[in-house]
Amino acid sequence: MFQLLLAYMPPPVVSGAGAVGPRLNNDRLYKFSYTTEVLVDRAKGSKDGSAGYRISSDVDVNLVWRDPSSKDDQLIQLVISNVKIKNVAPRSAKKNIFQGATTQSLLGEKKLAALERPFMVHLKNGKVSSFYCYKAEPASIKNLKRGVASLLQVQCRSGKVIENDVSGRCTVEYKAAQGQVTRTKALETCKTAETGFTTYIQVLGVSGESSSVTVFTLEDGFIKSAIAKETHILAVNARRTTAAKIVSRQSLTLVAIEAGPFEAAGKNVASVVKSLDEKLFAVGVAAEKVKSQCKGCQSLFEHWQAVQKQFEPDSLSKAIAPRSFLALIQSIRKAYKDEILQVLKRSSKTALPQVVDAVTSSQTPDSLDAMLQFLNFADPKGMVLQERFLYACGFASHPNERMLQALVDISKGKIGSKDIKESVVIIMGAIVHKLCQKGGCELPTVVEVKKMILEGPDSTQVESDIQMYLLALKNSLLPEAIPLFSKYAESEVGAYCTISLTALQRYDVALITDEVKQTVNRVYHQNRRVYEKNVRAAAADVIFSSNPSYMEVKNVLLSIGNLPKELNKYMLSKVKDILHFEMPASKILRQAMKDMISHNYDRFSKVGSSSAFSGFMARTADATTTYSLDILYSGSGVLRRSNMNIYGASNGALLHGLQVAIEAQGMESLIAAKPDEGEEDLESFAGMSALLFDVQLRPVTFFKGYSDLMSKMFSMSGEPMNVVKGLILLTDHSQVIQLQSGLKANAEFQGGLAIDISGGMEVSLWYRESKTSVNNRGAMVVTGNVTVDMDFVRTGMEVSFETEASLDFITTVQFSEYPFLVCMQMDKTTFPFSESLTKYESLPSGKSYVSRRGHKQLLPGSEFPLHQENSNMCKRVFDSDW
């Protein structure tokens, strides 16, 4: 019964006689002291070490008019006076930028006069419904006044409401207690005019935590004090120590109550305001956009002239390249099309590809227009720049429909290179995937491209075109493409099968239906036709990664021993790797292996050189990086497939950072060997395919056909062929944080990568030895900038880290005997790592304070461990060299 009575009780009320919000008395002047401060620092920084400033003042508040029919409908006047601006943290005179400065010298006479000019607030039922001031006042001054007004907005009953204030339109929860009300604002719900953007890849992205709590103390129906604290923490997901914190505090304290002016007469708020001051206008409660003025800033071309040496190819393996790349992107985002074209046209031939990376990665309307005007896709000689533009579109952090439409227009126009035509379509698939992830799957251009690539494979008989559409669909990850991949997985053309099966492996397991699983099992077990070994190996990968049933796993185990020699060995190694690395399929695999028919010595003692192995590259509290190496050989000892993968995982999200696959076929004739079953009529071919940051790139061909093979054989220099080279914008987060105080913070987090991936294949008939290599060179820089710029004072911080690294994967095969000798090596060289923290405060006069901290270290290189069998093999290979 008691609980029933409680359910019908009204929520707590802290003011008397049914008041909804605070009420002012007539002919009274309420004198308050007001302070607001803002601090920026690292996430765990203390107040004393922060950069920032404090604004303090007196605020006089009085009732101007009240609706006779509603005591909670009030027009209030506020006057700010005695304004002071100081440091937040104690500083010596030498480090204090405000030392000797007056408020008038900081703000300027006009802005100070505007700040001290009276303004009015229409308070209705405890909510600020209108805000009145002079229209011509600077936006920064009006926002400060709105910040003061936000501390008058309070309701006396507990409950959740949606409110408008300087922060925007937000969901707010009030909790009323005796003489006190706590207001908690859900900042993630706030809708403002200024929106930002963020990287769609969560592993590479930035996450934030925010809170806003204001505690009101009420006395005699009005506010005695209001204390507010607002905190924002932004951190890079993959390295959460690369973080920034913004703290904003407000304090409004009643000092005295004196005799004040009487209420004005009038029918409504608008008429009263007009009668008192015709220059006062209702200008809205939400903050206005403050246009930042940059005095003495470089133009884009001046910036480019200062950094152009860092964009030369020789600098791409150094951290200065991505750092300059990120800085140039910031300049390009502020530039117009003609300025961007000037830089493109004046760049050296060797630096131009890197400039194309920067311009395209900027992702502004002007930068896209400049690129489209600069590039001539009908000219086959411009292939390098065209492909760099396309790849940068594929890696775009926040592509829009207009970028996709630009590629559609290019695909419909004249294209001078067949390779570029393929890249255009493949990259369109990647952009479709990103737009769909952000809810843009029904955009007209997305619908058009989806239709084109879904209908593409069945609309042509040209093998290269079918592969192009399948690769585009692989990038798009459209659920509608799964039946198509299932169909082409059973194709007679091995390339179609491989693309389709590797695409299916990228989908969420929940989308892989029983029908699809049956198809994949048919391919692996060759129920309908004989398939190439690499196709069956790809099918096995899909089976194991798609939540397999007990019978599926058991049937795979039973097939071992009846497979071609090297596929036998590969499958054994794959099973051991799943168990060793505790992959999702390991539990069901252990159950199936309890059956001695499927798990016995005869089955698990097959010899060969193919292998599969996974391991950890790095493990931290924030992220885990893993690698896998899969090698499949033909029965004659020639490489059939080499697949290297690197994955990044952070906070439950997974990123396929890198995949480099080398495939070869039809090379048995070189060594007078017999081809394996199902591979008797394959054309000689070798090529490499790369997937980078979840984007499949256009495959590269080393040679195709016997005549091409022989010409390459005799002209082979041993130099690796470039697969992808350039600058990539990995992390791209821009956010405007409108603080309740009226101050505004801007947060920019960016990560840039300079990368050079190459691969090669050498075959020596004389020494009966082959060697494949994948070389990865890179330098990465991640920076986070947070600034609070109020045109009269600027404070902020930059946190960053950078590194340079190289990773080589080399496979040496000696096929003079069987089982042939195979040695795999995966080496990481010694590399530097550094991080830094810079905090600053500055005035327009040039007076500034800067604090810098940082550290550098040299991390030792290592050879990543593979299975013991490989170590034994490498010893034999290198012993035989001597």
Side-chain angles (χ1 to χ4, degrees), residues 200-201 204 357 387-388 390-396 426-427 430-431 433-434 471 474-475 506 643-648 654-661 688-699 722-730 752-758 774-778 780 807:
Y200 90 104
I201 301 175
L204 300 174
D357 293 336
E387 193 143 61
R388 291 288 276 267
L390 293 171
Y391 284 174
C393 288
F395 298 131
I426 292 168
I427 295 303
I431 297 177
H433 174 56
K434 293 182 181 182
L471 289 169
K474 181 179 179 180
N475 268 338
R506 297 186 68 201
N643 200 349
M644 180 181 77
N645 292 279
I646 296 176
Y647 293 92
L654 183 68
L655 169 67
H656 198 167
L658 175 67
Q659 180 186 73
V660 179
M688 180 155 58
S689 172
L691 184 147
L692 194 57
F693 302 112
D694 281 335
V695 177
Q696 172 70 57
L697 307 180
R698 179 182 60 81
N722 182 258
V723 180
V724 60
K725 186 174 189 175
L727 293 158
I728 301 172
L729 185 61
L730 293 181
L753 176 71
I755 193 166
D756 184 355
I757 300 176
S758 57
V774 177
N775 312 110
N776 304 277
R777 302 283 181 273
M780 183 171 70
L807 182 67

Side-chain angles (χ1 to χ4, degrees), residues 113-124:
L115 184 60
E116 295 182 339
R117 187 178 295 125
F119 63 102
M120 294 187 186
V121 170
H122 181 198
L123 200 64
K124 193 171 184 178

Side-chain angles (χ1 to χ4, degrees), residues 183 263 603 770:
R183 180 179 73 191
E263 285 184 45
R603 212 177 288 284
S770 70

Side-chain angles (χ1 to χ4, degrees), residues 640-855:
R640 193 68 180 84
R641 186 186 75 170
S642 162
N643 200 349
M644 180 181 77
N645 292 279
I646 296 176
Y647 293 92
S650 176
N651 199 26
L654 183 68
L655 169 67
H656 198 167
L658 175 67
Q659 180 186 73
V660 179
I662 296 178
E663 289 204 17
Q665 66 181 41
M667 296 177 64
E668 284 77 10
S669 57
L670 284 175
I671 55 175
K674 182 183 177 182
D676 292 335
E677 181 188 19
E679 302 181 357
E680 295 87 354
D681 301 321
L682 293 180
E683 182 183 31
S684 297
F685 167 83
M688 180 155 58
S689 172
L691 184 147
L692 194 57
F693 302 112
D694 281 335
V695 177
Q696 172 70 57
L697 307 180
R698 179 182 60 81
V700 173
T701 299
F702 295 149
F703 56 79
K704 188 172 185 179
Y706 187 76
S707 58
D708 189 24
L709 164 61
M710 295 312 294
S711 65
K712 295 279 174 61
M713 190 69 67
F714 290 110
S715 63
M716 200 173 278
S717 63
E719 291 296 317
M721 180 181 288
N722 182 258
V723 180
V724 60
K725 186 174 189 175
L727 293 158
I728 301 172
L729 185 61
L730 293 181
T731 302
D732 196 15
H733 179 93
S734 179
Q735 184 177 352
V736 176
I737 301 172
Q738 181 59 58
L739 302 171
Q740 184 179 277
S741 63
L743 301 174
K744 184 180 72 173
N746 289 284
E748 301 275 349
F749 280 76
Q750 289 186 306
L753 176 71
I755 193 166
D756 184 355
I757 300 176
S758 57
M761 183 174 183
E762 297 177 64
V763 179
S764 171
L765 299 181
W766 182 261
Y767 293 104
R768 298 183 72 80
E769 181 179 276
S770 70
K771 182 178 288 188
T772 57
S773 62
V774 177
N775 312 110
N776 304 277
R777 302 283 181 273
M780 183 171 70
V781 172
V782 176
T783 64
N785 278 286
V786 172
T787 58
V788 182
D789 191 349
M790 281 299 289
D791 44 31
F792 55 86
V793 59
R794 178 183 174 93
T795 186
M797 64 168 290
E798 179 186 283
V799 59
S800 70
F801 71 85
E802 62 184 52
T803 187
E804 301 167 5
S806 66
L807 182 67
D808 296 325
F809 172 45
I810 301 169
T811 306
T812 306
V813 183
Q814 292 181 354
F815 45 84
S816 56
E817 59 182 277
Y818 191 86
F820 32 84
L821 301 179
V822 179
C823 172
M824 294 181 293
Q825 296 167 276
M826 190 170 174
D827 299 331
K828 177 181 68 176
T829 59
T830 298
F831 62 98
F833 179 87
S834 64
E835 51 189 342
S836 63
L837 171 66
T838 303
K839 291 176 279 191
Y840 56 87
E841 299 162 358
S842 65
L843 299 175
S845 63
K847 195 173 182 181
S848 64
Y849 160 76
V850 180
S851 167
R852 291 188 177 90
R853 290 175 57 192
H855 78 274

Side-chain angles (χ1 to χ4, degrees), residues 110-416:
K110 289 184 179 180
K111 284 183 181 175
L112 180 58
L115 184 60
E116 295 182 339
R117 187 178 295 125
F119 63 102
M120 294 187 186
V121 170
H122 181 198
L123 200 64
K124 193 171 184 178
N125 296 326
K127 313 297 179 189
V128 177
S129 63
S130 300
F131 177 83
Y132 296 90
C133 67
Y134 282 26
K135 269 189 176 180
E137 289 178 1
S140 58
I141 297 300
K142 284 188 275 189
N143 287 344
L144 285 173
K145 290 180 174 181
R146 290 182 174 104
V148 176
S150 70
L151 295 184
L152 298 180
Q153 181 158 281
V154 59
Q155 71 178 40
C156 299
R157 292 178 182 270
S158 297
K160 280 188 178 182
V161 292
I162 295 175
E163 289 184 351
N164 295 308
D165 70 359
V166 66
S167 304
R169 187 170 177 80
C170 314
T171 300
V172 176
E173 182 177 13
Y174 286 94
K175 288 186 178 178
Q178 191 64 37
Q180 188 171 287
V181 176
T182 301
R183 180 179 73 191
T184 303
K185 189 182 297 182
L187 294 172
E188 68 278 4
T189 67
C190 294
K191 292 179 172 59
T192 61
E194 293 186 83
T195 57
F197 51 81
T198 193
T199 307
Y200 90 104
I201 301 175
Q202 189 180 334
V203 175
L204 300 174
V206 173
S207 58
E209 298 174 12
S210 57
S211 64
S212 173
V213 178
T214 307
V215 179
F216 298 89
T217 303
L218 305 181
E219 189 174 270
D220 297 331
F222 195 54
I223 298 168
K224 184 180 181 182
S225 69
I227 309 296
K229 182 179 180 181
E230 183 175 348
T231 305
H232 298 262
I233 298 175
L234 296 168
V236 176
N237 291 335
R239 187 175 177 80
R240 299 195 65 82
T241 53
T242 305
K245 179 174 69 175
I246 306 157
V247 178
S248 172
R249 293 187 178 92
Q250 289 174 279
S251 173
L252 184 69
T253 306
L254 183 63
V255 177
I257 302 175
E258 300 177 355
F262 288 95
E263 285 184 45
K267 292 182 179 180
N268 53 48
V269 169
S271 62
V272 172
V273 172
K274 191 172 183 180
S275 67
L276 294 173
D277 191 339
E278 290 187 345
K279 292 183 180 179
L280 287 173
F281 285 89
V283 293
V285 178
E288 292 179 34
K289 188 174 182 179
V290 179
K291 293 181 180 179
S292 58
Q293 296 179 344
C294 190
K295 295 179 180 178
C297 290
Q298 290 181 314
S299 68
L300 174 61
F301 189 70
E302 288 171 336
H303 183 163
W304 164 242
Q305 286 182 311
V307 300
Q308 57 184 324
K309 287 184 180 179
Q310 276 77 59
F311 284 78
E312 294 295 336
D314 291 347
S315 299
L316 282 183
S317 59
K318 300 171 185 173
I320 188 66
R323 185 172 283 280
S324 301
F325 169 68
L326 297 179
L328 188 63
I329 285 175
Q330 293 289 357
S331 292
I332 294 170
R333 284 179 171 169
K334 300 169 189 170
Y336 294 106
K337 181 179 114 177
D338 290 342
E339 296 176 271
I340 300 169
L341 279 169
Q342 183 187 18
V343 171
L344 287 165
K345 290 174 181 176
R346 299 281 291 273
S347 297
S348 68
K349 188 176 180 180
T350 50
L352 187 54
Q354 288 71 253
V355 179
V356 169
D357 293 336
V359 173
T360 311
S361 299
S362 300
Q363 300 167 76
T364 65
D366 284 275
S367 65
L368 180 59
D369 287 342
M371 286 308 313
L372 295 174
Q373 184 175 325
F374 181 72
L375 296 174
N376 177 13
F377 282 86
D379 182 8
K381 294 179 182 177
M383 179 181 164
V384 172
L385 298 181
Q386 294 161 19
E387 193 143 61
R388 291 288 276 267
F389 164 73
L390 293 171
Y391 284 174
C393 288
F395 298 131
S397 56
H398 54 282
N400 55 25
E401 188 182 14
R402 189 167 176 269
M403 178 181 279
L404 182 61
Q405 184 61 56
L407 297 196
V408 171
D409 294 340
I410 291 168
S411 70
K412 292 178 179 177
K414 185 180 178 183
I415 300 178

